[in-house]
Amino acid sequence: MTGPTGSRVIENPIINSPYRRPSRHFAFDASGITNEIIELRRPSSHFIPVPRPRKSGSSVQHELPGFGEADIAENQLVNGVRQALERWRASGRPNITPTTRRLIEYWTNPSRDNPILYCQLEAAETAIYIAEAATKCGDPWIRNELDTHNSEYSTGLPRVALKMATGTGKTVVMAMLIAWQALNKAAQPTDRRFTRKFLVITPGITIRDRLRVLLPEDDETYYRERDLVPADLYSSLQQARITIVNFHTLRRRDKTSSSEKMTRLNTAVLQGNDAQEIGAFAESEEAMVKRVCASLRGTGEIMVLNDEAHHCYQPRVAAEADADRRVSATERRDAEVSEAEARIWFSGLVAIRKHLGVKSVYDLSATPFFIGGSGYREGILFPWVVSDFSLVDAIESGVVKIPRVPVDDDRPSPDVTYLDLWQKIRSELPRHGRKTDVVSAEGLPDALEGALASLYSSYRREYAHWKESAAAGEPPPVFIVVCSNTAVSKMVFDKIAGYEKVLKDGTAVLTPGSLTLFSNVQDGRWSNSPRTILVDSKELESGQALSKEFRQLAAKEIEDFKAAYSRRFPGRGEPEVSDAELLREVMNTVGKPGRLGADVRCVVSVSMLTEGWDANTVTHILGVRAFGTQLLCEQVVGRGLRRRSYAADENGYFTPEYADVYGVPFQFIPTVGKTRDLKLKPVHRVRAEPERRHAEITFPCLSGYRQEFPDASPVARFSSRSQMILSKRDLPIRTETAGLVGPSDTQSPETFLALRPQEVAFRLASRVIEHLDDSSDPKPWHFPSVLKIVTQWLMECVECHDDAKVGLVMSSGLLQQAVSKIRDSLGWPEGTPAAKTIPIFQPYQSSSSTSVVNFTTTKQVYPSASEMCHVNFVVLDGPSGNSWERAAAQALEGLKGLVEAYVKNDHLGFFIPYSHAGHGHRYLPDFLVRLKPTEEGIPRTLILEISGGRKPAALTATKAETVQSLWIPAVNGHGGFGLWGFCEVTDPGRIRQSITEAAKALDGRGGTGDAAS
């Protein structure tokens, strides 16, 4: 543990990489967080992180307790699962399907342009481990404990909760889970562990609309945008059937559509009445399930993904759970509404399980806690949480913005004025909506005006910094205000944005807003594009028409945005969307370039800004309402946590971004650090352009090769590559064990060491024969010849060091390597017909083309020639771009008489399977080049590799040999893909010459022309 213990102000809270498992954390003590660093990952704990202000004697904390050792308790299930997950990773992730392994390797590839955050990988891997590997790896206790908790709390629904702080990418994890399940089901249709049917349930319209990125066919689908699925597997992903709904659709509808009966139905649901009473006038459970899951019916169970899953729980009648806490009438009403919503959501899941079948339920939430009124003590973590990446973890890893709240001021008072602002101003503000209270912008309490002015001064500095930075072309920073009711929100909105003031003589004049950058009144008239908007999240999320009250409040905004819509889409006339849809579009596009809300700088919200509101430009938050629970504090602050830039510094860490928060008594890390300005990397969309279809390149998709050998007996042709050394580097020869007392003992791998050379030769020969006879016509008469060759190989090519013996070659790690060396050493007598190589095509996909390319990148790019490349850019590898790849593209474009089309092999799905050191690998060459056809009209394609000495020689040689001796003979022998050849360039000065020579070799039907220098 390091660091001073005096000051608690931390200059830079980011102490972990966002892409690796956290290995350090700040220590807590009874007063809160310290700046002492512990060199371990923070255990998952449940605590209430509200540090006391620096001023002593504060009276504002009576609703929200501070830190204390009694407030912290470890989450045993989460920590136990973490340990099991680490053991599984360390042992090579055993007991998973090949498809799952392929996905994890793709997600963890260190050369990814779009790396997966560690918190996202951990959540997905936790779900995978529990579903596929835990029981086989000796951890059945995880599933047993989950079953126990689900039986007690969820009537046996198979729920698994993944806790991730707001802004850390829960949607990415949902896409990873869908890909994992759907691709496994496509590869193994009979495996009951997997499904291709998914029901995604959300708490509101905003999230439902935003989660369209989970649909493979969506224009902005995350599988492409976040590069979650290899290109060659994308077609299999299309088999997934995904339905996204609000939980409101789980409410059983009235049979007659009578408004009176609908009222009775809603009342019955809210009061928790039994099914018989509800069923008298509501649709049946089965009918509701059929309606909601219309596209998911059929054989096989479904997987449910609950987004913001803290809204979904089984309420119980244990009101005494919160009896020790005073509850206001407002809190009681809020609790009743929450309980009713939870009842609808949870009972809907139970009905779906009953009538359709539920394979698993994955709950995702930043705050999976029971809330007040649930029947459980408020703030208790859902017992089925298995993965936890808390807000403190996210801050220490730099994944989210850092919320900063007031910790001191110079007012002569023990209170920090703008920390818990509501306690000072609530008596001076209207308690009800505008139906009963007459309000004026001139009647704001002094403390509220001071908070606005103080926080605005900070915003003004942030705005000036934005104007001068490289991000000036992007949307501006955003200031949000969360109010208690419509009356307060109208007062604040008018004060900020301006309003029409009626003078004593009856004339009306426009009064500009007091905060200039937010004023909608400019030069004595309303601006065409409002800088400040007023929203009511609850109304907009309900999906119903706007209330008369809010329509009056937002009349001017609606008019302005209709005009903006008409300007953006000339010729359409009046918008074809409702007022509510229009305002929801504005609210949900705040901070989105080129959208209706792009220029908005301030959002005044009547109630909580909805979950799923994902603007990443929020820099300032003001709370003008009560915050009686820490859960509510975290949810409000969560609206400002999403980072703007994911550019890493020279150490691979993110730099701090901050959100300044007034009026929300909440803090994790006290900091005075400043944001270091890192330029945003430009993002390029790389895709196949329809107008370039003439340059499309089609290629075969192989998963391996099968060789048909002649009937003649094989002979040995050993070379330096046939050599193998056995030593302690492969396996320890002796291992000593000892207890605290008593004698020690020594063990050795007797199972292998005791094998006689003849027995080793016999076993190895059997394995080689299995590989030789992989056709449908086995040839067991090869065994005597192969046994003789294996015996000769053991004597001439195997060296034993460090007391090792030839029996070690039979260990699983060395056996495949030995078989490969022997097989590669086999030859055939003179005059014997050559072995025929047969291609093994990928299941469900024997070919693909450049038309599948569609992804984003922050790497440097070279704009390709439209007449010669189907894809608009050549992505250049390396931090500063690969000059060789640029030169190759330019050289190919200069060979127009010879080259018809080319493409960089990036997200193309083209790979060549090969074996190295006993393990299977995938080789991705650099370019595919379509040459001018032969005189007979036969298509010709060249595989182009740019080596340049920057790649390991041995590995490069293995790849090249596989291409020439297996892949090309298999494909050319098939005859359905024309002629293919290979060209490896090792000299940048001879790119054009090398390509020309390789083309000549291919024209001569060589097919394996290596034009390397």
Side-chain angles (χ1 to χ4, degrees), residues 992-1003:
R992 290 171 63 104
Q993 183 177 351
S994 297
I995 295 171
T996 303
E997 292 174 358
K1000 289 180 180 179
L1002 183 57
D1003 194 35

Side-chain angles (χ1 to χ4, degrees), residues 641 931 998:
L641 290 179
L931 303 173

Side-chain angles (χ1 to χ4, degrees), residues 732-749:
I733 305 303
R734 291 183 178 82
T735 302
E736 183 177 357
T737 59
L740 292 176
V741 295
S744 62
D745 189 23
T746 301
Q747 299 91 34
S748 61

Side-chain angles (χ1 to χ4, degrees), residues 668-688:
F668 273 114
I669 296 181
T671 177
V672 295
K674 296 181 179 179
T675 301
R676 175 183 167 193
D677 187 23
L678 283 182
K679 291 185 178 180
L680 298 174
K681 294 182 179 180
V683 178
H684 302 281
R685 166 68 66 177
V686 183
R687 61 186 175 191

